[in-house]
Amino acid sequence: MHKWTNDLSITKALAALIMLVGVFSPSVVSAETAGEAKKPVVDTKKVAAASDAECKTFVEKFYAFYLIPETKRKTQPNAPENDAVSDLARNRKFLPPKLYAALKADLDASMKAKGDLVGLDFDPFFNAQEVPDRFVSGKVTTKGANKMVEACGYWFGKKTPQLDAVLELQNDNSQWHIANVHYPADKDSKATDLLGILAGLKHDRDTNWGQGPKGGKKK
């Protein structure tokens, strides 16, 4: 008799639980559904357009800033012909650690080489050996999480007919940086990029000039 009474109690308890689930489940689902319905609709096209405009502005500001010392050297006879060390320091805020470190290593090696060509022999942001009048941003595309911004220079008041460079931007904590610079192919050369060129130059220095582990003179 005692066992039957316990079984009956358990049966009643289960029945009550089933009723509770039946009563409250629709409310929970309804609340969740209502919550989902209240989520704001994000216009992804507008967000993308705003991001593209932001990237174009960043590139324009970079080149305006980058050209300041170059303009002074062109207009002031007594200005230093080349002050790459201070220029790189000034531009550091536009660069992520990886690209800055690669450029600094290339510059340091060139300064130690005493006339030997062991580093970049052109301006990596102009893709030229001459200084343009100005540089402007162009079309913006997306590459994974990064943005690719086309850039063209003006020499003697005329815009170059082809692309000079494509700046790859990465966003670090809501701050854009120049992660890499890509150089389009032309009739004389294949497409390349700044990080790849710097890596190749470093390999050549380490192998042929004794400035790295393979040369045995690493400090």
Side-chain angles (χ1 to χ4, degrees):
M1 182 68 178
H2 181 68
K3 182 178 184 303
W4 181 84
T5 302
N6 288 344
D7 291 343
L8 181 60
S9 299
I10 294 172
T11 301
K12 289 181 178 179
L14 289 172
L17 180 60
I18 291 171
M19 289 180 65
L20 286 171
V21 172
V23 170
F24 288 105
S25 290
S27 299
V28 172
V29 173
S30 177
E32 290 175 351
T33 304
E36 290 178 359
K38 291 179 181 179
K39 288 182 179 179
V41 178
V42 178
D43 190 332
T44 54
K45 289 185 179 180
K46 285 187 177 181
V47 171
S51 179
D52 290 354
E54 189 178 287
C55 291
K56 285 173 66 71
T57 300
F58 172 84
V59 170
E60 297 275 358
K61 286 182 177 180
F62 164 72
Y63 276 115
F65 182 81
Y66 190 68
L67 273 165
I68 290 174
E70 299 293 351
T71 302
K72 286 183 178 180
R73 282 193 277 272
K74 290 172 72 174
T75 58
Q76 298 178 10
N78 296 326
E81 181 178 347
N82 184 21
D83 191 5
V85 176
S86 63
D87 286 353
L88 181 59
R90 288 176 72 255
N91 298 324
R92 185 170 188 171
K93 64 181 180 180
F94 293 98
L95 310 174
K98 181 178 180 180
L99 182 55
Y100 174 79
L103 285 168
K104 189 174 187 308
D106 187 85
L107 178 59
D108 290 345
S110 294
M111 294 181 69
K112 292 177 182 178
K114 297 180 180 180
D116 292 324
L117 183 59
V118 298
L120 294 173
D121 62 348
F122 70 103
D123 188 294
F125 299 105
F126 297 145
N127 189 19
Q129 294 179 328
E130 300 295 329
V131 179
D133 301 323
R134 62 191 178 101
F135 241 71
V136 297
S137 60
K139 182 180 178 182
V140 181
T141 55
T142 301
K143 177 186 177 184
N146 293 352
K147 290 288 186 177
M148 311 292 285
V149 184
E150 297 179 353
C152 291
Y154 280 76
W155 274 267
F156 306 105
K158 293 184 178 181
K159 183 179 179 181
T160 52
Q162 74 284 339
L163 278 178
D164 288 304
V166 179
L167 275 63
E168 181 174 350
L169 308 186
Q170 70 180 44
N171 195 295
D172 303 308
N173 299 319
S174 300
Q175 175 63 50
W176 291 106
H177 291 112
I178 302 171
N180 200 0
V181 183
H182 299 264
Y183 311 112
D186 56 31
K187 63 179 182 179
D188 299 318
S189 59
K190 297 180 179 179
T192 56
D193 68 276
L194 179 54
L195 283 175
I197 292 172
L198 291 171
L201 288 168
K202 182 180 184 304
H203 177 268
D204 290 343
R205 291 194 300 268
D206 291 346
T207 304
N208 303 320
W209 294 90
Q211 294 191 26
K214 293 181 180 179
K217 294 183 180 181
K218 184 179 179 182
K219 295 182 180 179

